[in-house]
């Protein structure tokens, strides 16, 4: 079985980028759902969002400005995750562990 070399050659980058993307999109989901239901709702999807995102909200609480309302804190942390993804790609690319766009047919 032949696998695409972009997956097999850069698996470490792909895995890290995927995990950061999951956290980022879950934070977006929590912020959007939080506009319609209370944060302490018993809905299973909100409990799932809280289970996944609460550790990251606590982790980045030291750098979250106090004037940001609690409902918007997930959006701020999602922005921080976006910055981390760009930094992660830059570091991995400079180490030769991330794919480049050279030679891509469009």
């Amino acid at each position: 079985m032949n696998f695409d070399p972009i997956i097999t050659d850069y698996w470490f980058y792909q895995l890290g980028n995927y995990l950061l993307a999951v956290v980022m999109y879950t934070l977006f989901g929590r912020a959007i759902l939080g506009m319609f239901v209370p944060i302490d709702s018993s809905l299973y999807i909100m409990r799932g969002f809280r289970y996944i995102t609460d550790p990251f909200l606590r982790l980045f609480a030291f750098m979250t400005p106090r004037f940001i309302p609690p409902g918007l804190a997930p959006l701020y942390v999602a922005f921080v995750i976006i910055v981390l993804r760009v930094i992660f790609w830059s570091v991995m690319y400079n180490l030769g562990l991330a794919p480049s766009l050279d030679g891509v047919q469009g």
Side-chain angles (χ1 to χ4, degrees), residues 13-82:
Y13 164 75
Q14 300 290 359
L15 181 65
N17 189 42
Y18 179 76
L19 292 175
L20 287 172
V22 166
V23 171
M24 180 187 72
Y25 287 119
T26 306
L27 285 161
F28 283 138
R30 177 179 172 157
I32 292 170
L33 187 61
M35 290 189 287
F36 301 105
V37 298
I39 193 66
D40 58 349
S41 173
S42 63
L43 291 174
Y44 70 92
I45 189 70
M46 187 54 113
R47 286 191 320 239
F49 280 150
R50 283 194 323 255
Y51 179 77
I52 293 171
T53 59
D54 277 349
F56 292 96
L57 290 173
R58 282 192 300 272
L59 179 67
F60 293 106
F62 75 95
M63 65 185 309
T64 303
R66 299 291 169 224
F67 63 84
I68 294 181
L72 294 179
L75 293 178
Y76 177 79
V77 175
F79 174 74
V80 172
I81 298 291
I82 290 170

